[in-house]
Amino acid sequence: MPSYVIAGALVFHRGRFQPLEVRTDGPYIAAVAPSVDRSGATVIDAAGLHLFPGIIDTHVHFREPGRTHKEDLESGSRAAVAGGVTSYLEMPNTEPSATTQALIDEKLALAASKSHANFGFFIGATADNVQELAAARRVCGIKIFMSSSTGSLLVDDPVALDRIFAQTPRQRVIAVHAECEMLMRQNAERLKHRTDFAVHSEVRDAEVAWRATRQAYELAQKHQHRLHVLHCSTARETEFFTPGRSIEAKLITAEVCPHYLLLNTSAYERLGTLAKMNPPLKSEADNRGLWQALHAGAIDCIATDHAPHTLDEKRQDIWKAPSGIPAIENSLALMLDSAARGRCSLEQLAWWMCEAPARAYRLKRKGFIEPGFDADLTLVDTTEVREVRNERQFTRVKWSPWHGQRLTGWPKMTFVRGCKVYDQGTFDEAARGSEIEYA
Ligand code: DOR
Ligand code: ZN
Ligand code: ZN
């Protein structure tokens, strides 16, 4: 593995972008200084660019095993590194659902053989696998679908939910898809005559999200159990979160996705079922409230909920079309574009997409550009203007809800544990990511 010296960039180091050089040796960062030893290293001229710690996407669905016509660990991780993402945490609603140690170990072996980025996996909760959850090893956390979505995982029985919080290690992250199954079903029954796209956002409305987030909040408090609320879609549910950046002191952390910040129910007109996901898009006021919560540190991380479905599957009516959008390869560009528009700073992006995810999930040697940390690095051109095009997507489903949108700010090169895996459209086909370790 060659050593690299990345020279001339502004490097995110100790909370700000600074003119520094970074040297990698093998899979680690060897030096970060105004001028580093160049002997034996390949020097990369990064003048005018910004160097971020590798982007960490803590919420993706890569569909392997079982639904590999939509994506697999190879295509999903290829899209990841093309989008500047060096590490991902993958969800258990594959086929079969990853609900046992044996199935987790299988996914880890598959990823080791084909993933371009570093990988970690959630174990899925069911109503009766609490023993597996309590004993699970090599997992980033426990995923609970409190409401049904893609796949068959669902735990909505309050007794079963209580048992999971009571009987699993308190420090292990429980990550919840927080929507209230009962209210959602009542709404669906009441609205079943409707055929417009926006009905989806009424079936799973703000109250549906708020009730489940409250339930998860109460369980976390009762059992003093670490909780992460996935994909917040409403301003209202953020009332349960504590503002500030002291993640290690927080019992409850929360995440938002770019689409909940940048899209609202007005998108159905243009996108139809391509804008269908769970939880659904909400109002413009929710967009604003989620930005505010992010700025306040009430929401800690940005992740994508990358959830590919084919265009054929999406070409059904609003009730039948599957929920989810491919997102991993444009999330950094979307957020850089938001920074270019003055909605946030580049330093905040490094916090929300690198440091905070590493801290929330206690990822070893990740999230920071520091000697001894993994050489996961994302080199970015904040001035490049490029249009998102379906035909240029690396996800297997080859479409993006952002098709046709011009964005300012794109990743140029991606390093995964010291290997230059992506360089402006070309990949190092031999390089592989590694299993993520947890502190
Ligand atoms: O929109 C969604 N898609 N929400 C989920 O909860 C699951 C995901 C998927 O796996 O398709
Ligand atoms: Zn979800
Ligand atoms: Zn998800």
Side-chain angles (χ1 to χ4, degrees), residues 305-338:
D305 197 10
H306 175 84
H309 299 283
T310 67
L311 282 174
D312 272 349
E313 292 163 341
K314 281 291 201 182
R315 254 181 235 116
Q316 302 180 70
D317 69 49
I318 188 64
W319 294 95
K320 290 208 191 83
S323 294
I325 58 168
I328 197 166
E329 63 204 284
N330 300 303
S331 61
L332 177 57
L334 285 163
M335 297 315 298
L336 290 168
D337 184 74
S338 292

Side-chain angles (χ1 to χ4, degrees), residues 285-405:
D286 288 301
N287 297 149
R288 281 195 300 274
L290 290 166
W291 271 112
Q292 272 167 18
L294 200 49
H295 278 279
I299 293 177
D300 305 280
C301 315
I302 296 176
T304 62
D305 197 10
H306 175 84
H309 299 283
T310 67
L311 282 174
D312 272 349
E313 292 163 341
K314 281 291 201 182
R315 254 181 235 116
Q316 302 180 70
D317 69 49
I318 188 64
W319 294 95
K320 290 208 191 83
S323 294
I325 58 168
I328 197 166
E329 63 204 284
N330 300 303
S331 61
L332 177 57
L334 285 163
M335 297 315 298
L336 290 168
D337 184 74
S338 292
R341 291 166 190 267
R343 304 196 75 169
C344 58
S345 67
L346 298 174
E347 288 79 5
Q348 284 174 310
L349 291 190
W351 172 259
W352 296 328
M353 304 181 87
C354 309
E355 290 192 4
R359 291 189 135 132
Y361 285 94
R362 298 174 178 275
L363 311 184
K364 273 195 193 163
R365 302 183 311 277
K366 304 236 178 266
F368 298 83
I369 300 179
E370 283 285 347
F373 274 59
D374 287 348
D376 297 335
L377 300 163
T378 301
L379 195 57
V380 155
D381 183 350
T382 58
T383 64
E384 183 183 348
V385 180
R386 204 202 304 160
E387 190 178 316
V388 179
R389 302 291 308 171
N390 285 344
E391 62 276 16
R392 286 201 223 115
Q393 302 301 297
F394 291 103
T395 171
R396 182 154 294 160
V397 298
K398 284 254 167 239
W399 65 273
S400 165
W402 310 99
H403 173 74
Q405 193 130 329

Side-chain angles (χ1 to χ4, degrees), residues 59 61 91 143 231 305:
H59 186 166
H61 301 264
M91 289 295 169
K143 166 70 180 280
H231 50 38
D305 197 10

